Amino acid sequence: MKILAFESSCDETAVAVVEDGRHILSDTIASQADMHALYGGVVPEIASRKHVEVIAALSAQALRDADCEKKDIDAVAVTYAPGLIGAVLVGLSFAKSVAFAWGKPLIPVHHVRGHIAANYLAFPELEPPFLALAISGGNTLIVDVRDYTDLRILGATRDDAAGECFDKAARVLGLPYPGGKPLDELARQSEGGIYTLPRAHVDSAELDMSFSGLKTAVVNLAHRAEQTGRPLDRAALARDFTNAVSGELVPRAMKALTLTGYKTLCAAGGVAANSIIRADLKASCKEMSCKLYLPPLSLCGDNGAMIGAQGYYEFRSGHTAGMDLNAYATRNIDA
Ligand code: KG4
């Protein structure tokens, strides 16, 4: 089954063709990061406009790359939530038009389900059940993936997402948007151990996380250094900050493995590209004799193929939608 898949929930327009949920036939992407870098973050209205400009040409490219035309496509999958509402609406409206004009089924896909499904594209042997650590710019979740379309949240951030925290920390360190990758590179230049940063603990919810205190602490440290003229060891701060984020995520993922009894963990989302978090996950999973799946960097960030992968399993579970399908800025992964 060949699915034409659309993703437009933030600042990447992405269209892909995926076969049977596991094989990427094409995966096109138009990033707007350079444009938003001028403003230090994503400007929602600009994101929507840029999606409108490129989505038709990108779709044609995705079909060409996959050597497919209308008759070869069996269904259309699209991110319908969560994300910047104007941005999601562009992809959704376009996908609806294609599905309607071509008479194909329309499959709604939750964006974070898509991130987790990126692992199905990279690892043919992977099947639920397993535990997923989904860490992106807008979401930070520990998820019990009971089956392809039966997912339950075990833990979540109570405030900022891990990626949002990376982007803000990077900004005060003078790094360009999106800051996760440059901060990762800076952090690798130091062993850290210089700055003491807060660790959060949520009473009676041991798998829940919090990143806002950490974010504020880094912002305050940088501002204080600026005001007093005291030099800031930027690389050490980047390293200590990354260790603190990893210290929130990795032990909780391990705790979730213990609580569920699962022996398989999958990472997902843009922050799963972080080299220090990847190393910490590898070390901890080895210690616990658990199998770890880390998607290749190309499948960590937003892409269309992951929507095609999850779309296949949603279709198999009978999850299709009519032309009244709406976009949602927020939506639980287990809704
Ligand atoms: O998954 P993604 O592309 O978009 C969302 O679904 O939100 O994630 C984007 C986030 C950004 O916050 C970006 O700074 C972060 O992932 N990111 C990283 C790294 N590469 C991207 N964060 C830490 N280390 C990285 N190497």
Side-chain angles (χ1 to χ4, degrees):
M1 175 180 192
K2 288 182 183 140
I3 293 180
L4 179 64
F6 294 91
E7 156 61 38
S8 69
S9 65
C10 191
D11 59 347
E12 255 111 24
T13 323
V15 188
V17 178
V18 174
E19 188 165 25
D20 297 337
R22 297 279 178 165
H23 308 289
I24 301 174
L25 302 186
S26 68
D27 195 11
T28 59
I29 188 156
S31 175
Q32 311 169 356
D34 288 352
M35 173 71 59
H36 297 292
L38 296 173
Y39 305 93
V42 178
V43 183
E45 182 56 26
I46 294 177
S48 311
R49 284 165 191 262
K50 288 283 153 196
H51 289 311
V52 172
E53 281 174 21
V54 300
I55 197 162
L58 213 58
S59 308
Q61 182 71 46
L63 288 165
R64 259 196 315 274
D65 289 353
D67 202 14
C68 284
E69 48 189 85
K70 171 183 164 183
K71 68 171 175 26
D72 305 311
I73 297 297
D74 299 294
V76 175
V78 62
T79 298
Y80 77 106
L84 300 172
I85 192 65
V88 180
L89 269 169
V90 175
L92 179 60
S93 307
F94 194 87
K96 275 183 182 178
S97 314
V98 175
F100 181 72
W102 286 7
K104 312 283 180 185
L106 178 69
I107 311 166
V109 177
H110 188 283
H111 178 73
V112 185
R113 287 188 180 209
H115 271 306
I116 294 170
N119 283 281
Y120 303 139
L121 297 164
F123 308 109
E125 75 284 7
L126 176 66
E127 286 178 6
F130 57 81
L131 194 78
L133 176 64
I135 41 180
S136 67
N139 298 274
T140 303
L141 299 171
I142 296 173
V143 184
D144 178 355
V145 184
R146 297 177 177 198
D147 206 339
Y148 290 103
T149 58
D150 182 6
L151 295 87
R152 308 286 160 97
I153 296 174
L154 300 180
T157 179
R158 292 288 181 105
D159 38 55
D160 298 329
E164 138 93 5
C165 200
F166 266 102
D167 292 336
K168 287 283 152 52
R171 186 146 81 180
V172 295
L173 286 169
L175 299 166
Y177 172 85
K181 191 164 176 253
L183 193 146
D184 190 358
E185 283 156 11
L186 183 64
R188 276 191 306 229
Q189 294 167 23
S190 169
E191 289 299 310
I194 306 250
Y195 298 99
T196 308
L197 295 166
R199 301 281 166 106
H201 169 83
V202 183
D203 274 342
S204 73
E206 56 187 344
L207 297 181
D208 279 358
M209 294 153 277
S210 164
F211 293 96
S212 65
L214 180 57
K215 182 178 83 179
T216 307
V218 174
V219 171
N220 287 345
L221 263 167
H223 284 169
R224 220 172 298 133
E226 205 176 288
Q227 284 159 4
T228 59
R230 230 179 302 140
L232 190 69
D233 186 337
R234 291 168 66 253
L237 183 52
R239 180 65 188 232
D240 286 333
F241 164 77
T242 307
N243 286 345
V245 174
S246 189
E248 287 285 306
L249 297 169
V250 179
R252 282 179 178 82
M254 297 307 122
K255 182 82 194 171
L257 283 169
T258 306
L259 291 174
T260 55
Y262 284 149
K263 285 282 174 197
T264 305
L265 175 69
C266 290
V271 180
N274 185 272
S275 60
I276 293 161
I277 295 172
R278 286 171 92 90
D280 290 349
L281 282 171
K282 269 185 205 160
S284 296
C285 281
K286 191 171 175 209
E287 213 168 281
M288 289 190 58
S289 303
C290 286
K291 176 97 183 117
L292 173 67
Y293 289 96
L294 290 171
L297 301 193
S298 59
L299 288 172
C300 286
D302 290 348
N303 63 85
M306 68 187 202
I307 302 304
Q310 182 62 25
Y312 172 73
Y313 293 104
E314 298 290 348
F315 183 81
R316 278 200 349 187
S317 297
H319 300 161
T320 55
M323 286 300 126
D324 56 350
L325 175 64
N326 206 350
Y328 299 89
T330 57
R331 190 76 156 186
N332 274 351
I333 197 170
D334 47 7

